[in-house]
Amino acid sequence: MKRTPFVIALLYLLIGIIWIVYSDRLLAALAQRTGWQAVEHWQTAKGIGYVVITAILLFIFIRRLHKHLTRAEEDYKRLFLENPQPLYVFDVQTFRFLEVNKATEAQYGYTREEFLQMTLLDIRPPEERERFLSLNHSIADKTIHYWGRWRHLRKDGKPLTVEIYTHPVVFQGKDARLTYVRDISAVVEAQEDLAELEHKLQAIINSTDDAIWAIDTQYRLMVFNQAFASIMQLRTGKTIEVGQLLWIPDYDNTEQAAHWIDAYRRALAGEKVEFEEKDVLPPEEKIRYAHVSLNPIFNSKRQVVGVACMLHDITSLKEQELQLEEALERYDLVTKATNDAIWDWDIRSNRVVFNNQFWQMFGYEPTDQGGQLWEANLHPDDKERVLQGIQRALQEKRSLWADEYRLRCGNGKYKYVLDRAYILYDEHQQPVRMIGATQDIQLQKEYEQAILRQNEQLREIAYISAHEVRGPASALMGLFMLLEEHYHIRNHLDHPELMPLIQESLEQLDAVIHKIVDKTSQLMQ
């Protein structure tokens, strides 16, 4: 399009030269034949023909150029009006809208006709207008200019957060600016939500005494809480910042430092690493124990992009464990004299450990699955009661539990035991451990059963004494009384000295029977 005027002028020049040269030669040749008087008329016709022909050619070229210009204007107008991005043109002197596209109408809710009656101040809240008026709207700036972030208002009053880019133009003969408006309300809202979420996350991670931090693949700190910052301050004497390189503290024990470095490397390789750490912070304080967990952070492609770390102080729990171990050692020495079996149930890991006395007492080979073996060999009549009793003690937060039950031995026979245990709870009153002693009471049970059998025999003796022996004795007493009455009536007694002796013997027999019954009753009580 830029070369079109040059092409038209060049064609006009070439056609004019060719027309003049060849038409003059043609007329000269014609004049030699007909004379110059006839040629004069042809000279006039030649000039008229030249004007007509050039006028037709100019009309054709100008019309074609006009079509190109019209098409270009329509294309540019379509690019503006139908652009999916909000665009508008405003007068830099009056700030009136000169033109808006359809995307602007859709974004703000105003029609084009309404926009053309408005100024840029009408789409801004009052607090933004002074800031807008202080801007330099000069047409002298010929570059695309970023006007920053603004608050706009829709027709329905809903606020919009936008970014504005402008470029100076001349529109309808006026100094104007073509403006591109980018709605970033959703982005800003997401950023605000993210900032609030980050604030809440920081509040959460700083509300715990556990040290929490994260590093990237270059060992740079991505995030950390106040507990971790305090530990690093005590360890290094320096304040840490996000983005700085995390240096392993200068441990006196090089093996401990190497252990930390190896743990980070394994976590960055995609492995979850857990271990217990022992340290002194600062040196004059007592030894501290901690459980450390390093968890790899994966992106959407399952690539490790960092490590999330947590350090939980377990000093009090560790001290309890050490005290418990010492107590268990002392108790183990005592139980060797009493032959009690000692067991330790870690409730969190559901792992039960028995001492050697347990395996010897019940005739089993030692195994890591002692808890399952114990439960599987409970007597069917006792199993439900025992297991429910343990759960009830845990639910009721009791510190002691005891029960008697039968447990099958390795030879297939059942043995009576008395089991007593002490329950340990953490700071949240959740059961963590149950320490117990199992006592073999089989001989005691057998003795009790023997006593029960003896009592049954005594009951039989008492029954015999009370019914089978005492009955005949009572009958003899009655017969004696009748005999004595008979002889007394008839006054006929051959041997009167025998009657008192017989009566005395019967009374002694009755007294002995009473004594047997009373003694048997006392033994059965």
Side-chain angles (χ1 to χ4, degrees):
M1 292 294 293
K2 291 181 179 180
R3 298 171 59 185
T4 301
F6 174 75
V7 172
I8 294 174
L10 181 60
L11 289 175
Y12 182 78
L13 177 63
L14 291 176
I15 293 172
I17 294 172
I18 293 172
W19 179 269
I20 292 171
V21 172
Y22 286 98
S23 63
D24 286 347
R25 289 181 181 179
L26 181 60
L27 288 175
L30 185 60
Q32 291 177 359
R33 292 183 181 181
T34 62
W36 287 102
Q37 187 176 4
V39 172
E40 290 178 1
H41 299 285
W42 286 104
Q43 185 71 27
T44 301
K46 183 190 76 164
I48 295 172
Y50 175 75
V51 172
V52 171
I53 293 173
T54 54
I56 294 173
L57 290 175
L58 286 174
F59 172 77
I60 293 172
F61 286 130
I62 292 173
R63 183 181 179 186
R64 181 174 297 178
L65 179 61
H66 178 73
K67 288 182 177 179
H68 282 295
L69 291 174
T70 302
R71 188 180 302 114
E73 183 179 356
E74 290 176 352
D75 290 341
Y76 279 110
K77 184 179 291 186
R78 190 162 45 251
L79 286 174
F80 175 83
L81 294 177
E82 298 181 6
N83 195 305
Q85 300 296 339
L87 298 171
Y88 60 80
V89 180
F90 72 93
D91 187 334
V92 297
Q93 300 298 325
T94 63
F95 305 132
R96 284 195 170 277
F97 287 98
L98 300 179
E99 188 59 87
V100 297
N101 68 350
K102 295 178 180 179
T104 304
E105 294 180 62
Q107 178 166 291
Y108 289 90
Y110 293 102
T111 64
R112 178 176 177 274
E113 290 72 20
E114 288 175 325
F115 266 116
L116 297 181
Q117 301 299 320
M118 298 164 57
T119 69
L120 295 183
L121 299 177
D122 295 328
I123 62 171
R124 284 170 166 77
E127 63 272 13
E128 293 275 289
R129 293 174 183 173
E130 287 298 328
R131 178 188 168 200
F132 173 76
L133 292 174
S134 65
L135 288 177
N136 179 20
H137 304 97
S138 174
I139 197 69
D141 184 5
K142 300 298 183 183
T143 61
I144 297 176
H145 189 72
Y146 174 63
W147 275 5
R149 185 175 293 185
W150 297 81
R151 298 280 287 177
H152 283 184
L153 295 175
R154 284 174 46 89
K155 183 178 181 179
D156 57 10
K158 180 181 177 182
L160 296 174
T161 303
V162 298
E163 287 183 333
I164 295 180
Y165 298 82
T166 70
H167 186 271
V169 295
V170 176
F171 187 81
Q172 297 176 355
K174 301 176 181 178
D175 291 340
R177 278 189 175 273
L178 173 63
T179 305
Y180 159 55
V181 182
R182 178 170 171 247
D183 183 4
I184 58 171
S185 300
V187 175
V188 171
E189 185 177 352
Q191 289 175 344
E192 291 175 351
D193 291 342
L194 183 61
E196 183 180 359
L197 181 61
E198 184 176 354
H199 177 73
K200 291 180 179 178
L201 178 61
Q202 286 293 331
I204 291 172
I205 66 176
N206 284 316
S207 65
T208 177
D209 294 332
D210 295 341
I212 300 174
W213 71 102
I215 62 171
D216 61 16
T217 56
Q218 303 301 317
Y219 293 86
R220 291 188 297 263
L221 280 170
M222 296 191 294
V223 67
F224 57 85
N225 68 347
Q226 186 58 45
F228 179 75
S230 300
I231 291 177
M232 297 303 293
Q233 177 73 28
L234 289 172
R235 169 58 64 182
T236 65
K238 299 178 181 179
T239 303
I240 60 174
E241 296 179 356
V242 172
Q244 78 175 54
L245 184 66
L246 175 65
W247 179 246
I248 306 300
D250 201 10
Y251 289 105
D252 296 332
N253 186 344
T254 56
E255 292 184 0
Q256 192 175 31
H259 178 65
W260 272 94
I261 295 173
D262 179 66
Y264 278 124
R265 288 175 179 170
R266 288 163 55 196
L268 287 171
E271 178 184 352
K272 181 179 180 179
V273 182
E274 293 183 311
F275 60 92
E276 286 189 4
E277 175 67 299
K278 181 175 71 173
D279 204 351
V280 178
L281 291 174
E284 63 270 13
E285 291 190 2
K286 65 179 181 179
I287 294 177
R288 309 291 299 180
Y289 296 89
H291 177 266
V292 181
S293 175
L294 307 181
N295 298 275
I297 304 173
F298 297 94
N299 61 13
S300 58
K301 298 180 181 179
R302 297 299 297 171
Q303 297 172 332
V304 178
V305 295
V307 178
C309 316
M310 185 175 73
L311 183 147
H312 175 60
D313 191 334
I314 58 171
T315 302
S316 59
L317 183 60
K318 198 69 177 180
E319 289 175 347
Q320 291 180 3
E321 289 181 354
L322 293 175
Q323 294 173 0
L324 184 59
E325 288 179 2
E326 294 176 359
L328 286 175
E329 289 177 0
R330 292 193 296 268
Y331 194 72
D332 193 48
L333 293 175
V334 174
T335 55
K336 287 182 179 178
T338 61
N339 291 325
D340 286 353
I342 305 300
W343 51 270
D344 181 358
W345 177 26
D346 187 338
I347 298 176
R348 288 176 174 172
S349 62
N350 196 28
R351 183 172 178 267
V352 183
V353 177
F354 295 94
N355 68 348
N356 292 330
Q357 185 63 28
F358 176 87
W359 309 111
Q360 297 173 7
M361 181 184 295
F362 297 102
Y364 291 106
E365 289 295 326
T367 174
D368 292 336
Q369 305 298 321
Q372 291 87 332
L373 182 143
W374 171 83
E375 184 175 339
N377 287 284
L378 287 170
H379 195 283
D381 295 340
D382 301 334
K383 185 173 184 177
E384 183 177 358
R385 171 178 55 80
V386 173
L387 296 180
Q388 288 182 354
I390 293 174
Q391 291 301 319
R392 190 161 48 250
L394 297 177
Q395 293 171 1
E396 296 174 358
K397 309 298 181 184
R398 299 203 303 254
S399 58
L400 296 175
W401 167 82
D403 203 347
E404 286 186 9
Y405 56 87
R406 287 162 288 180
L407 190 68
R408 183 166 53 199
C409 301
N411 58 9
K413 296 181 179 180
Y414 284 94
K415 181 180 289 188
Y416 276 95
V417 297
L418 171 61
D419 218 340
R420 290 169 289 192
Y422 183 77
I423 306 172
L424 296 175
Y425 298 88
D426 61 13
E427 62 272 16
H428 304 295
Q429 287 301 304
Q430 295 299 315
V432 295
R433 217 151 192 180
M434 196 169 178
I435 312 298
T438 305
Q439 181 181 2
D440 182 356
I441 59 171
Q442 182 63 30
L443 292 178
Q444 177 182 339
K445 281 293 183 180
E446 291 177 355
Y447 179 71
E448 290 177 357
Q449 291 173 356
I451 292 176
L452 291 175
R453 288 194 297 271
Q454 184 179 8
N455 287 339
E456 288 297 327
Q457 292 174 355
L458 289 174
R459 285 192 184 92
E460 293 179 3
I461 293 172
Y463 182 83
I464 293 173
S465 299
H467 297 280
E468 297 183 12
V469 177
R470 192 174 181 184
S474 298
L476 287 174
M477 288 291 293
L479 291 173
F480 174 75
M481 293 176 66
L482 289 174
L483 181 62
E484 183 180 25
E485 182 180 356
H486 175 73
Y487 280 110
H488 180 70
I489 294 172
R490 302 183 70 176
N491 197 17
H492 179 72
L493 186 60
D494 295 333
H495 303 284
E497 70 278 5
L498 295 178
M499 294 302 291
L501 295 175
I502 294 172
Q503 183 178 2
E504 182 180 357
S505 297
L506 290 173
E507 290 177 353
Q508 290 177 352
L509 177 61
D510 185 61
V512 168
I513 292 173
H514 274 285
K515 189 181 292 184
I516 292 173
V517 172
D518 292 340
K519 193 67 174 178
T520 304
S521 299
Q522 291 176 5
L523 290 175
M524 289 189 298
Q525 289 180 353

